[in-house]
Every structure is written in structure tokens, then in C-alpha cells.
Amino acid sequence: CVYGGTCHSCRFVQNVMSNLTYYCGGTGGYGGKYYDCYFASNKVVNYLCRGGALHSPVLASNCVFVANWSGDSAGAVGSYNNPAEKYLIQDSFFTNNWINSGGGGCLHSVTVSNCVINGSHVDQNGTWGGAGINVRAFDSVFEYNVLHGYHYAYDGGGALGNGGCAVNCIFRYNQDLGSTSVGGACVGVAMTNCLVYGNYTESKGYGGCTVYATVPVVNCTIVSNTVPSGAAACAGTFINCIIADNTTDVWNFSQLTSHMTNCLFCTTAGTSALDTNNCIRVANGAKVKFTSLDPESEDAFRLTRRSPARQKRSPTCGQCRTFRKSNSRACTLRRSLAERLGDVGENLAEGLRHAL
């Protein structure tokens, strides 16, 4: 539809591109800048074409992306092996963007800031990231994203995978489904000041776990996630983190030894990490107790006085204010978009009802 240029308050709906050469995509646009635009049910059919709605946008601001699809990766917005920092999407909402197989149900090699990425999915033979691959994410929320049937060892990530970073983000209710699951939330993502809770990993074929950290995870709270019995709550390198009340413990996986520094970790079952430095492990059966599990609460993820962890003078969660700010901005963004675009069709309305 658009090559370069600038679009204001435009709608791109049910566009289809096919018979493309490699490294293309973007039925709504290629390059350019987009403000207050709406992208719905656009498709790029060919294999190796990324971005069902946009390919390599310089900027997309205050936009909505609903039910877009790509034949390769990035159902909504993607670029091809370029630095993700070149392409910025900010203050935008994504819901139900998807691909059939592969990785990056919504995003590939882009930067998102103050966005909500909701309900992205890779339907079969997934590789990396139900929501995105090589994504740089700041102050954003990733929720209800799903990676199905991943089939390569040490790939995965119900939300994000294969590079990139996440700073001041929330990952909740994402899933990695299949017989060889790993990383219900993230795999191979540099995470800082993030909250990870309520995510689900179906099996332990390659270690299970919620966060599979091939790069360090710093100042994060990882709580109330579900992984299979005998698998890992987390694996990799963790610094200044709270890892608590997941269904199993941090685990030493043979292909990726866990290292923890200045961390609090606990469980009601399982084994502990072998390489720890200045850490506190709460004994089996003695759960960490938080005042509130609501990220918008003033007491979000603060240890109660009766928590066994607090009695041991454990580290406290210093990034809770960031969680509340990020979640509050995300909720405001969803509601404002629902009010502004509530008349654009059943797909958007259904997506917003689910998100809210």
C-alpha cells in the first residue's frame, strides 16, 4: 500500500501480498512513519517474507494491529536481519497477530516501547517466540502469547526468544506448548527489571522452565509460573532476582548450568542450582509470602513480615515501582484504544475484551 512516506489516521484492512521475492513483506507499508493508524487482517503469503502489516517501519506510533498474518515470521511488524533499534513501535496495541509455523508470531527485529502485545500465536512447529524474535522491548506488557509445538532443542519462548532485550516489562500468562517445550516466557533474552508471572510451560523435553537465560537476567521477579514436575523454574544466569513459588526450583540443566548471585529462590519441590553466590534458598514447604500479587498495588511483590524469606533478611524487590508504572500505562493504553477504536469490527472488539 505505502512505500516510505508518512501516514496519519489511516486504516489498512484485508490487504494481501503474494508472489514476492525474498526479504519482503508489509501489506500496509514498507518503511515510512505511521501515526494513529489501524492494521487488521492483512496477509503476506510467501515464505521468507516478514511483517503481515508493516515491514521495516521507521516509526509507528499510537497504532493498533489486529489479526495480521505472515507466511514466514512477524505476523504484524518485522524487518530482515537489520538492527532492531532502527525500527520503533511506540504507544501501540497488538492482538491476535499470528503465523502458521516458525517463530515470531507478532514481531521480528524491531523495538517496542510502551506497547501491549496480546494473544500472538505460532500455531505449529514453532521455533522462537510466540510474540517475537530479536525484539528490543521497553515498558511493555506481553500477555497471553503462545508458541505451539516447538521442535528444535533450546529454542522456544512463549513470549520472546532468540536475542533482543526486555527492560521494565511484564510477562504474564504466556505459554510454550508441545512435547519439547522450553521457556514459557522467554529464551535467550537480556532481561532487566522485569516481572514474570503466571506463565506456563507444558513439557520438559529440553528442560522445561519459564526463563531460559543464555544471557544474564538482572533485577527480575519470577513468581507463580508453572512448569512440569522435574523440570526447571529457571535456567541460566540470574543476578539480584527473586525466583519464588513456581512449581519447581531453579535447576542445573546439563546443557546450561544455572548461576545465581544475590538472589532469593525457593520452592516446594525440586532441586536447587549448584552455582550460587550470596543467595538465600527458602526450604521446601516454606513459601515466600508477598503482600500483594497485583502489579498495580502499592504493596506489589513486597515480602510480608511472616514470610520465611523476610525472616532470613533476604533481598527485597526494588523494582516494584517500575512494575506498577509499566502495568498502569499498559492498562491506560488498552482502555484508550478500546474507546477510540471500538467501532472498527468484531475482531478488534473481541481482542480488546480479552485483553481488558
Side-chain angles (χ1 to χ4, degrees):
C1 290
V2 177
Y3 188 92
T6 301
C7 295
H8 292 269
S9 303
C10 297
R11 296 191 177 191
F12 304 86
V13 180
Q14 295 183 344
N15 299 288
V16 179
M17 295 184 71
S18 60
N19 299 320
L20 299 173
T21 57
Y22 289 166
Y23 316 127
C24 295
T27 57
Y30 189 109
K33 297 181 179 180
Y34 304 83
Y35 301 91
D36 304 300
C37 292
Y38 170 66
F39 304 84
S41 301
N42 300 289
K43 295 183 178 181
V44 175
V45 176
N46 295 59
Y47 178 62
L48 291 179
C49 291
R50 294 176 181 168
L54 292 175
H55 186 85
S56 302
V58 175
L59 174 66
S61 180
N62 202 30
C63 294
V64 174
F65 300 83
V66 181
N68 300 285
W69 178 84
S70 171
D72 176 27
S73 180
V77 185
S79 69
Y80 232 103
N81 298 325
N82 293 312
E85 57 267 25
K86 292 177 61 176
Y87 311 109
L88 174 62
I89 302 96
Q90 64 184 19
D91 305 322
S92 295
F93 181 80
F94 298 80
T95 187
N96 198 33
N97 298 282
W98 61 290
I99 60 175
N100 285 335
S101 62
C106 184
L107 306 166
H108 198 306
S109 297
V110 296
T111 298
V112 294
S113 177
N114 192 33
C115 292
V116 175
I117 296 87
N118 166 277
S120 309
H121 49 103
V122 179
D123 284 351
Q124 60 185 346
N125 298 326
T127 56
W128 301 100
I133 293 177
N134 188 34
V135 173
R136 299 174 73 248
F138 302 89
D139 302 301
S140 294
V141 176
F142 294 81
E143 57 187 9
Y144 301 103
N145 302 290
V146 181
L147 180 69
H148 284 274
Y150 117 95
H151 61 282
Y152 294 116
Y154 321 124
D155 296 359
L160 297 179
N162 195 25
C165 65
V167 180
N168 301 338
C169 292
I170 296 174
F171 296 87
R172 59 189 177 194
Y173 312 128
N174 303 287
Q175 299 183 68
D176 190 347
L177 304 178
S179 60
T180 54
S181 306
V182 59
C186 297
V187 172
V189 177
M191 303 172 68
T192 304
N193 296 341
C194 291
L195 170 64
V196 182
Y197 76 96
N199 301 281
Y200 176 78
T201 308
E202 183 174 24
S203 73
K204 60 178 181 180
Y206 287 103
C209 79
T210 297
V211 175
Y212 199 91
T214 57
V215 290
V217 171
V218 182
N219 296 339
C220 291
T221 296
I222 304 169
V223 296
S224 302
N225 300 285
T226 300
V227 297
S229 177
C234 297
T237 300
F238 300 86
I239 303 170
N240 300 333
C241 292
I242 294 178
I243 305 170
D245 299 347
N246 302 290
T247 51
T248 60
D249 205 344
V250 178
W251 184 52
N252 178 31
F253 193 46
S254 60
Q255 281 76 10
L256 188 63
T257 302
S258 292
H259 307 272
M260 297 200 302
T261 302
N262 298 333
C263 291
L264 168 101
F265 65 106
C266 74
T267 184
T268 57
T271 58
S272 62
L274 297 181
D275 183 3
T276 61
N277 179 34
N278 196 33
C279 294
I280 294 176
R281 179 172 186 249
V282 178
N284 289 349
K287 282 191 172 183
V288 170
K289 296 180 176 63
F290 296 106
T291 304
S292 173
L293 299 180
D294 179 3
E296 293 187 86
S297 168
E298 289 298 319
D299 294 321
F301 296 97
R302 292 180 181 174
L303 301 175
T304 67
R305 290 186 178 182
R306 301 184 67 179
S307 170
R310 186 161 179 168
Q311 293 169 7
K312 291 190 175 187
R313 297 182 180 180
S314 66
T316 58
C317 174
Q319 66 277 11
C320 289
R321 184 176 299 175
T322 297
F323 297 160
R324 290 195 297 274
K325 179 181 178 182
S326 179
N327 193 67
S328 178
R329 291 172 68 189
C331 290
T332 301
L333 174 63
R334 282 199 296 268
R335 293 188 181 107
S336 66
L337 289 169
E339 294 171 357
R340 182 168 62 88
L341 294 168
D343 61 342
V344 298
E346 294 183 0
N347 285 336
L348 176 59
E350 182 63 28
L352 290 171
R353 279 196 295 272
H354 177 61
L356 291 168

